[in-house]
Amino acid sequence: MDMDMDMDNPDSKRKAPRRKGDDRVILHFDLDCFYAQCIENANPHLKSVPLGIKQKSILATCNYVARKHGVKKLMGIQEAKRLCPDLVLADGEDLSPFRDVSKQIYSLLKSYSWNGRVERLGLDEVFLDVTDVVAYNLGLVNHHCLEESWFCLSREDPERGFAFDAREVKGCVWPPDFVSDRENEGTDSLRLRLLFGSHLAFYLRQQMEGLGYTSACGISTNKLLAKLAGDRNKPRNQTTLLSSHSPVPFLDPLPLRKIPGIGGKTITAMKSLLKTDDDDDLTVHNARTNPAVSPFALERLLAGSGGGGEKGIGRKVWLLLHGIDGSEVKPARDVPRQIGIEDTYRGLTQLSQVRAGLVQITTSLLRRMHVDLLDDFDAVTPPISPAPTSVGKGRWLAQPKTLRLTTRPYYPPSEWDKFEYNHGRVSKSVALPRFVFDLNIEPESIAERLVEGTLMLLFHSLNPDKSKLCIGLLNVCVTNMDRAKESSRGGDIMAAFQRQREVEEIRGVAFADEPPDGEEKAEDTSDDTEVEWVEEEDEQDGVRCRLCGCVIPVFAVEAHGRWHELDEGWVEPQGG
């Protein structure tokens, strides 16, 4: 998007950004109280009672029956019970079953995409760019008989589709008093494109309801507006934003915290420009129209000395305030860049606690690897049941090369204002041992072995001073995905992986921290809203063997231990 100002000139006039036509049709689906729906589908008798999903001492979410009693997500358990004594609590600590359902919904929506642009946001939100599907159907419609239109879902099969009335938008519309000039609008107008998009959105929502999951949907011309439009009428509804040529009236009443891309740090910094501490004054309108707020002022505030923001953040925020978002819906990926599981704690001070936490996280991680990386894993498994182990099932579509452990100290609430969320967060990466891919072993057994033989060694390296041990976060992640192709003769994919590894080992390739040249560095996939890059410590150091005293690279510790076991003449030193 072009701008009518010089970003480097503080005297530049405050002008609204020039808006180029955006002819995209973007759908944003948001599953209604997703965790609660998963629990309800596995336990139908809970659909009519107040239900909360517990994580630690707070509610991760709750159903709409509970919300009628005043219960809200992220509320403390005691406060929720006080407001609703009949509240039923379900455990939400293990995210694996929720991830299974999320993958099922994602796969369903992806099957209706033509251009492959299907982007998942967290576990319960999905963006679809359906511009090409809508354009194709606009070319087929009979404008003299709109009420008997047919929406084609396949170029190859004209009978695959659904009937719809192309005279009216399906679902809610913003603005509510929008009046269309049908006689003068073109056959490919913005209204018609979004109208067609609304009927496709309704059809897809019906398909999801066939699986047992209701959702809200927003339809507009970019990701920002589609997401905000979907928030307008919840639950089990959809909203089409028809004022996309001038979305300012739609955005103006919204609090700044509701705008995706404008996080807590940005809002805190902007309070100085707006000269207010009153949250009621922190609206899009007040920020957009305040004379002190300009792209240059925002850049200086957010990316200048001490701001910490990336270059261009001022322009980005200024565009968001005007409803302009040029970001593309990312293409769907059959294999994720990385898979990570983390948990937070109120200070782990004993190694036994750390070990137990790592076993739990690693078991969840292995189960998720089976869901995401095995080609015939049954993702339709009832969601809230003992997590399937996949032992002996499927074959690996990809195998991660690298294992990463991240830790962070615990800070009591009284110190939260002194530190950033990721303060003290440190990471180390090593080659992922091959035994984790053995489908004949239960994930729990593999997790125990991986924790004892690798992760605890990494933990000791990251936290050498045990007298000050107080851990607030553990994160275990696998990354650097290795996709081996089967030969044309149909060779076993596991054998293909093994051959590839053997060749690379002969060549001296190290399976450790960084992806090969030309590959993109994996992004952090944790569920944090704001992701900060952190420097990893130098990983050239090793671990000193307690038997022979040699310093062994961390990735070689397990093999070194086996070497000692095979050495019959070796005697372990006394007191070691």
Side-chain angles (χ1 to χ4, degrees):
M1 299 298 173
D2 294 336
M3 299 287 289
D4 284 333
M5 70 283 291
D6 180 0
M7 287 296 298
D8 296 324
N9 181 8
D11 298 324
S12 168
K13 293 182 179 179
R14 290 180 71 258
K15 294 183 179 179
R18 284 201 306 265
R19 218 188 140 73
K20 292 181 179 178
D22 197 338
D23 60 356
R24 294 180 296 168
V25 179
I26 308 297
L27 312 182
H28 173 262
F29 295 94
D30 188 355
L31 291 158
D32 300 324
C33 49
F34 174 58
Y35 289 7
Q37 280 201 83
C38 291
I39 300 290
E40 291 172 347
N41 282 334
N43 305 275
H45 65 281
L46 295 178
K47 291 186 176 182
S48 59
V49 303
L51 174 67
I53 311 303
K54 177 184 177 182
Q55 290 181 348
K56 298 290 189 297
S57 60
I58 64 171
L59 287 181
T61 188
C62 57
N63 64 5
Y64 284 95
V65 179
R67 296 183 191 190
K68 291 179 180 180
H69 293 270
V71 179
K72 300 178 181 179
K73 61 181 180 180
L74 302 183
M75 179 178 282
I77 298 296
Q78 292 184 346
E79 175 67 8
K81 277 288 193 179
R82 185 185 65 80
L83 292 172
C84 182
D86 296 329
L87 181 69
V88 176
L89 295 175
D91 181 60
E93 291 287 342
D94 184 6
L95 297 181
S96 298
F98 306 116
R99 295 185 192 279
D100 296 349
V101 175
S102 177
K103 182 180 179 180
Q104 183 183 3
I105 297 295
Y106 177 73
S107 298
L108 170 71
L109 294 176
K110 187 173 65 173
S111 70
Y112 289 95
S113 173
W114 292 5
N115 56 22
R117 293 193 172 275
V118 186
E119 180 182 349
R120 183 161 51 181
L121 190 65
L123 296 182
D124 59 349
E125 299 182 47
V126 179
F127 284 105
L128 264 75
D129 184 334
V130 296
T131 306
D132 53 346
V133 184
V134 166
Y136 180 81
N137 280 277
L138 276 173
L140 301 178
V141 71
N142 180 356
H143 291 272
H144 301 290
C145 189
L146 292 175
E147 66 275 16
E148 297 181 1
S149 295
W150 178 259
F151 199 106
C152 232
L153 294 171
S154 170
R155 293 189 182 97
E156 292 75 29
D157 183 3
E159 294 186 357
R160 184 182 176 221
F162 58 91
F164 73 107
D165 184 350
R167 295 174 299 177
E168 301 295 339
V169 174
K170 190 70 175 178
C172 303
V173 178
W174 199 97
D177 56 354
F178 179 86
V179 177
S180 168
D181 185 3
R182 296 182 189 170
E183 294 183 1
N184 296 321
E185 72 178 1
T187 58
D188 189 28
S189 70
L190 173 65
R191 187 194 74 87
L192 275 177
R193 292 198 299 275
L194 293 174
L195 182 151
F196 274 54
S198 72
H199 285 275
L200 177 57
F202 182 76
Y203 176 84
L204 295 177
R205 288 178 52 236
Q206 286 182 311
Q207 303 311 301
M208 285 189 283
E209 291 195 17
L211 298 177
Y213 298 91
T214 65
S215 63
C217 183
I219 304 97
S220 193
T221 57
N222 65 46
K223 291 165 68 175
L224 168 71
L225 297 178
K227 179 172 173 60
L228 292 174
D231 290 340
R232 188 88 183 178
N233 295 285
K234 286 186 174 183
R236 201 181 181 187
N237 211 331
Q238 63 183 62
T239 303
T240 304
L241 179 57
L242 291 178
S243 61
S244 299
H245 282 313
S246 179
V248 167
F250 172 77
L251 293 170
D252 269 355
L254 298 177
L256 284 179
R257 58 183 170 80
K258 291 287 187 181
I259 306 300
I262 300 182
K265 291 182 181 178
T266 300
I267 292 174
T268 299
M270 288 181 66
K271 287 182 178 180
S272 61
L273 283 179
L274 299 175
K275 299 188 183 316
T276 181
D277 287 323
D278 188 348
D279 289 344
D280 292 337
D281 291 336
L282 299 175
T283 65
V284 173
H285 175 268
N286 290 347
R288 184 180 58 81
T289 59
N290 192 302
V293 180
S294 68
F296 178 83
L298 290 170
E299 183 75 11
R300 183 173 54 188
L301 176 71
L302 302 175
S305 177
E310 61 184 8
K311 185 177 180 180
I313 184 66
R315 177 178 181 270
K316 175 185 175 182
V317 171
W318 182 250
L319 291 174
L320 292 177
L321 293 174
H322 290 82
I324 299 175
D325 176 18
S327 61
E328 299 286 344
V329 176
K330 297 177 182 177
R333 296 177 58 92
D334 293 329
V335 174
R337 285 193 180 93
Q338 67 177 27
I339 302 174
I341 303 289
E342 74 175 33
D343 204 351
T344 55
Y345 309 91
R346 292 186 175 181
L348 303 181
T349 58
Q350 303 295 324
L351 289 177
S352 59
Q353 297 173 324
V354 173
R355 186 177 291 104
L358 285 175
V359 169
Q360 182 180 24
I361 292 174
T362 305
T363 301
S364 296
L365 175 65
L366 292 169
R367 287 174 177 160
R368 186 179 168 198
M369 286 172 59
H370 289 181
V371 173
D372 290 351
L373 301 180
L374 289 175
D375 66 345
D376 63 352
F377 184 87
D378 183 11
V380 192
T381 301
I384 309 303
S385 60
T389 62
S390 307
V391 172
K393 293 179 59 178
R395 61 181 180 181
W396 295 99
L397 295 172
Q399 294 185 350
K401 296 180 181 180
T402 305
L403 174 70
R404 184 173 70 224
L405 173 66
T406 301
T407 70
R408 192 198 68 207
Y410 170 73
Y411 301 108
S414 60
E415 298 182 12
W416 286 357
D417 58 339
K418 300 178 183 178
F419 302 106
E420 299 291 346
Y421 176 79
N422 281 326
H423 180 76
R425 185 169 177 141
V426 290
S427 303
K428 272 190 177 295
S429 302
V430 297
L432 181 63
R434 300 290 299 156
F435 64 79
V436 302
F437 303 114
D438 190 339
L439 296 179
N440 296 312
I441 306 176
E442 295 283 351
E444 292 82 357
S445 299
I446 295 177
E448 291 277 359
R449 182 178 173 186
L450 192 59
V451 169
E452 290 298 328
T454 305
L455 287 171
M456 285 305 297
L457 295 173
L458 287 176
F459 180 83
H460 290 309
S461 181
L462 289 171
N463 302 273
D465 188 353
K466 303 304 181 291
S467 64
K468 298 181 180 179
L469 192 65
C470 189
I471 299 300
L473 176 143
L474 293 172
N475 178 299
V476 180
C477 171
V478 290
T479 184
N480 201 2
M481 296 294 175
D482 182 7
R483 301 192 63 169
K485 297 181 180 179
E486 288 187 87
S487 68
S488 58
R489 291 175 294 180
D492 180 68
I493 196 168
M494 285 297 294
F497 275 116
Q498 184 60 37
R499 287 194 299 270
Q500 180 174 333
R501 289 271 175 155
E502 290 172 355
V503 171
E504 290 176 333
E505 287 172 357
I506 292 172
R507 293 175 179 173
V509 176
F511 300 108
D513 314 317
E514 294 298 328
D517 292 341
E519 290 190 17
E520 185 175 355
K521 183 177 176 70
E523 298 173 352
D524 195 335
T525 56
S526 63
D527 292 335
D528 299 337
T529 303
E530 295 185 359
V531 178
E532 295 183 12
W533 291 100
V534 288
E535 292 267 345
E536 293 196 3
E537 292 184 350
D538 182 14
E539 298 178 356
Q540 299 303 315
D541 56 334
V543 176
R544 185 173 298 279
C545 176
R546 67 187 183 90
L547 298 178
C548 65
C550 294
V551 177
I552 308 299
V554 177
F555 68 86
V557 167
E558 185 174 74
H560 184 75
R562 289 200 299 270
W563 177 78
H564 278 308
E565 292 173 359
L566 294 173
D567 188 355
E568 297 179 353
W570 179 263
V571 179
E572 180 174 347
Q574 296 298 316

